[in-house]
Amino acid sequence: MLAGVLTSVAAGICLLLVVLMLVFLLWYTWPAIRYNGLSILNDMTWNIGNQYGTGSSVHNGVAAEPGAEFGGLVFLVGTLLSALLAMVFAVPLALGVALTIVYRLPERLRLPVNALIELMAGIPSVVYGLWGTIVLVPWVGNRVAPFVTHHFGFIPFLGGDAGSGNGLFAAAIVLAIMVMPIMVATVRDVLLAQPKSIFEASMALGSTSWQAVTHAVLPSVRTGIVGAILVAFGRALGETMAVLMVAGNAINILPHNIFSPINTIAAVVVSQLESAVSDASGVAQRSLAELALVLFVISLTVNTVARVAIRGQDRSH
Amino acid sequence: MVSRVTRNVAISRLWWVLCISSLVGALLVLLSLFGFVFVRGVAAIRPEIFFTVTQGIAGGLANAIVGTLLLVTLAIVLVVPVGIGAAVWVTQFAPDRLRIVVRLSIDVLFGVPSIVVGYFLYVALVETAGWGFSLVAGSLALAIIMLPYVYRAADLAFSAVPRDLVEASVALGARPLTTFVRVAFPWALPGTLTGLLIGVGIAVGETAPLIYTAGWSNYMPTLAPTHSPVGYLTYVVWTFINEPFKQSHQLAYAAAFLLMIAIFVTNFVARAGVEYWASRTRSHS
């Protein structure tokens, strides 16, 4: 009986942790929510106010330093854009890799390839960031960006300033590489769980192996693939260090093309805290917590939809 | 007619070539990453870095190595009773409805970005509770990040304990606790340990949740639970690469190299564990 009580306490901790996090962040953030109103979502300017000025700026009964404005639009846009662009790169790549593993790889290569993909998923974010800073960013800045802006500049969002390499494009590439292994593993498992007869029946009817995959197998695992994409998307939204190191730390400016510096919510929480701590009114720190809360809610939503999709796939066979 | 078949076969070939090249591309990226970290890392490793602490932008990594070990060890101590305890409760004691709720909350925890965990503990423990940057705050952050990995592995492992073994033990007159300790626990241990190792690999490589909980220190970590910041390897990689000095870059490469070695080892042992576990399960059935 004692064992039952002790282990139920452990389960209770697991259960309460998420609730505690949400409630505490909400309580801590409350003054910032009142001060900022909707501007946390639709205002471009992040400014902790004049720390040496007199008087204060008051919104809804909450006082911050004069001129203080906590707009999160730039970070919200950066988060969504970088994660979406990462999906554009990662989804076809991951599908190709997963299909190759399941339908084309000789048996004896499967184990080592799976092991490498798994290893890729375990590489720390800062190591991707280090590689991104030293290898990827100079390559983007010196080769890719000048080439693309010069030859494809007529396409909206591809033209204009080629930039230094730090920016949306580099962030999306690093994110794509980081989330690809998760997506490959999920899609591979979904494909392997599907009865082999679907593929074989289609082949027996005279289709090519690619037709069998696109017309018979993939339609039957559609929801599972959507789930895998959403899980990866959720990861990309919350990724911090690698993005922080290559995204270019944009403040108060929206990206004008694919190579522009950006910033994400996760990255800005790290990079702006030091300055936020110097805000004597404390609203800056609470506004960062509000941004963290926004990220929390977005991730929660994306993951819930992903779970429903994957659950639906499990039920269909 | 023939031409259409030939065309379809050609299209099929073309797409498969694209799929295979995406795998080759992914492996090339991995190769570039490994090559980069290992070449620069091996060149940067000197024996002294294991014995000297960081001094501003130079020196060694002794404080960061010890700090990472301390933070992860304490995180293991914190996460093991909670993660495994919860899994035991869910698989052995829980009513159906609560079982679903616990599993759901673990799934939610999996989706929480690590920076959110870090910022939550920063405002709750470092600021509101006044602990300051500290070992316990940092380890708690790592423990929360490891929890879903440990819980899921333990839940799977305990759910996979064969019923006939448990029933045989009960039929022989063993008390529930004896059955659990002598039959279910040994069976579930390898799977649980594998999950724990994967969690350790994740924890060793974490940065974001530590920056504002463990802080950073150029000195050897003390064992003080609070009010004493702790250094760790990932911080060195992140900050020292942006310093304009060659010595600090060397330290960043060395730290990245050590991290990769640690991840390699935990990954390898975890995989070997999975194989061992799978072979044992097969031999039973």
Side-chain angles (χ1 to χ4, degrees):
Chain A
M1 212 51 248
L2 179 67
V5 174
L6 284 179
T7 53
S8 72
V9 171
I13 293 175
C14 294
L15 207 88
L16 287 179
L17 211 51
V18 174
V19 181
L20 186 73
M21 245 189 267
L22 262 176
V23 171
F24 186 88
L25 278 178
L26 201 61
W27 168 78
Y28 180 83
T29 306
W30 193 243
I33 293 175
R34 287 186 21 193
Y35 183 87
N36 296 325
L38 271 181
S39 69
I40 194 81
L41 297 179
N42 64 19
D43 182 4
M44 266 183 55
T45 311
W46 183 275
N47 174 4
I48 65 169
N50 183 355
Q51 300 299 310
Y52 307 100
T54 48
S56 57
S57 135
V58 180
H59 294 238
N60 288 323
V62 178
E65 300 303 317
E69 227 181 314
F70 303 103
L73 181 66
V74 173
F75 318 129
L76 193 63
V77 167
T79 306
L80 294 176
L81 268 185
S82 60
L84 279 174
L85 191 59
M87 289 301 117
V88 171
F89 297 137
V91 169
L93 210 65
L95 281 180
V97 173
L99 286 173
T100 307
I101 291 175
V102 175
Y103 292 105
R104 278 293 173 269
L105 219 54
E107 194 63 41
R108 69 201 149 78
L109 282 182
R110 269 200 198 172
L111 194 69
V113 167
N114 282 335
L116 281 176
I117 298 283
E118 211 165 286
L119 196 62
M120 214 169 160
I123 295 174
S125 176
V126 270
V127 174
Y128 280 110
L130 182 70
W131 177 81
T133 310
I134 305 296
V135 179
L136 181 70
V137 166
W139 181 66
V140 171
N142 298 332
R143 312 249 159 178
V144 181
F147 179 83
V148 170
T149 48
H150 186 252
H151 293 281
F152 299 96
F154 58 91
I155 301 169
F157 219 60
L158 291 185
D161 190 6
S164 64
N166 283 98
L168 175 58
F169 186 77
I173 296 268
V174 171
L175 281 175
I177 296 170
M178 292 181 72
V179 299
M180 201 201 61
I182 309 166
M183 223 188 304
V184 169
T186 324
V187 173
R188 179 197 62 205
D189 292 347
V190 167
L191 288 173
L192 287 175
Q194 210 60 2
K196 258 193 126 94
S197 53
I198 296 182
F199 180 78
E200 282 161 1
S202 176
M203 290 291 282
L205 288 171
S207 59
T208 62
S209 53
W210 183 253
Q211 283 171 327
V213 165
T214 48
H215 295 156
V217 178
L218 287 184
S220 72
V221 293
R222 203 184 295 130
T223 43
I225 289 176
V226 170
I229 292 173
L230 283 172
V231 168
F233 185 60
R235 274 290 158 96
L237 289 171
E239 179 46 52
T240 313
M241 298 315 293
V243 176
L244 177 65
M245 290 168 84
V246 303
N249 260 317
I251 290 265
N252 303 345
I253 184 166
L254 285 170
H256 55 85
N257 73 9
I258 199 172
F259 301 108
S260 303
I262 55 152
N263 215 333
T264 66
I265 294 180
V268 87
V269 169
V270 172
S271 60
Q272 284 298 304
L273 185 58
E274 228 157 302
S275 108
V277 171
S278 67
D279 175 14
S281 73
V283 181
Q285 275 197 73
R286 291 178 198 270
S287 297
L288 279 184
E290 191 178 359
L291 283 179
L293 203 58
V294 170
L295 180 64
F296 197 160
V297 172
I298 297 175
S299 312
L300 215 62
T301 315
V302 171
N303 277 295
T304 311
V305 179
R307 277 182 53 76
V308 172
I310 292 177
R311 176 88 51 80
Q313 182 70 50
D314 286 345
R315 209 168 285 152
S316 72
H317 55 257
Chain B
M1 191 63 197
V2 171
S3 74
R4 208 172 110 200
V5 171
T6 333
R7 212 188 75 191
N8 282 344
V9 169
I11 291 173
S12 179
R13 287 245 172 86
L14 182 68
W15 280 107
W16 280 118
V17 167
L18 283 177
C19 284
I20 294 168
S21 15
S22 61
L23 175 62
V24 174
L27 294 178
L28 283 179
V29 168
L30 197 62
L31 191 72
S32 156
L33 221 141
F34 284 166
F36 166 72
V37 172
F38 285 96
V39 168
R40 304 253 177 148
V42 168
I45 292 273
R46 293 165 289 114
E48 309 94 81
I49 63 173
F50 296 99
F51 305 108
T52 38
V53 295
T54 52
Q55 291 133 10
I57 49 100
L61 293 171
N63 51 331
I65 295 170
V66 174
T68 292
L69 290 177
L70 258 181
L71 285 163
V72 173
T73 310
L74 184 57
I76 295 173
V77 172
L78 291 169
V79 79
V80 161
V82 176
I84 299 181
V88 168
W89 186 74
V90 164
T91 53
Q92 317 283 324
F93 301 102
D96 276 348
R97 190 171 296 171
L98 283 175
R99 183 178 303 169
I100 293 169
V101 179
V102 174
R103 283 181 179 153
L104 185 76
S105 62
I106 291 289
D107 283 340
V108 171
L109 201 56
F110 233 123
V112 179
S114 62
I115 182 66
V116 174
V117 173
Y119 202 71
F120 160 68
L121 290 179
Y122 167 74
V123 290
L125 299 179
V126 176
E127 289 275 295
T128 309
W131 288 9
F133 295 136
S134 58
L135 176 64
V136 177
S139 288
L140 266 172
L142 293 184
I144 292 177
I145 299 208
M146 290 167 75
L147 181 58
Y149 295 90
V150 176
Y151 172 86
R152 271 197 192 171
D155 187 333
L156 265 177
F158 278 100
S159 302
V161 175
R163 269 196 87 82
D164 50 352
L165 280 186
V166 176
E167 279 162 6
S169 165
V170 174
L172 286 169
R175 284 177 303 149
L177 188 65
T178 315
T179 304
F180 179 76
V181 173
R182 305 287 296 270
V183 178
F185 191 74
W187 184 275
L189 193 61
T192 308
L193 283 181
T194 303
L196 182 62
L197 268 176
I198 292 170
V200 168
I202 301 285
V204 168
E206 275 294 358
T207 322
L210 289 179
I211 296 170
Y212 293 116
T213 52
W216 164 256
S217 164
N218 275 319
Y219 303 101
M220 265 313 202
T222 61
L223 284 171
T226 58
H227 298 100
S228 173
V230 182
Y232 41 92
L233 284 169
T234 47
Y235 182 94
V236 177
V237 181
W238 170 47
T239 47
F240 282 34
I241 199 64
N242 289 323
E243 301 286 345
F245 306 103
K246 193 158 183 289
Q247 309 97 292
S248 50
H249 290 181
Q250 295 296 96
L251 280 184
Y253 291 130
F257 179 72
L258 293 178
L259 283 169
M260 289 290 267
I261 296 290
I263 306 294
F264 266 140
V265 171
T266 49
N267 230 288
F268 181 77
V269 176
R271 264 198 96 78
V274 171
E275 295 299 314
Y276 166 78
W277 190 40
S279 71
R280 226 182 57 159
T281 317
R282 267 197 301 277
S283 70
H284 170 75
S285 54

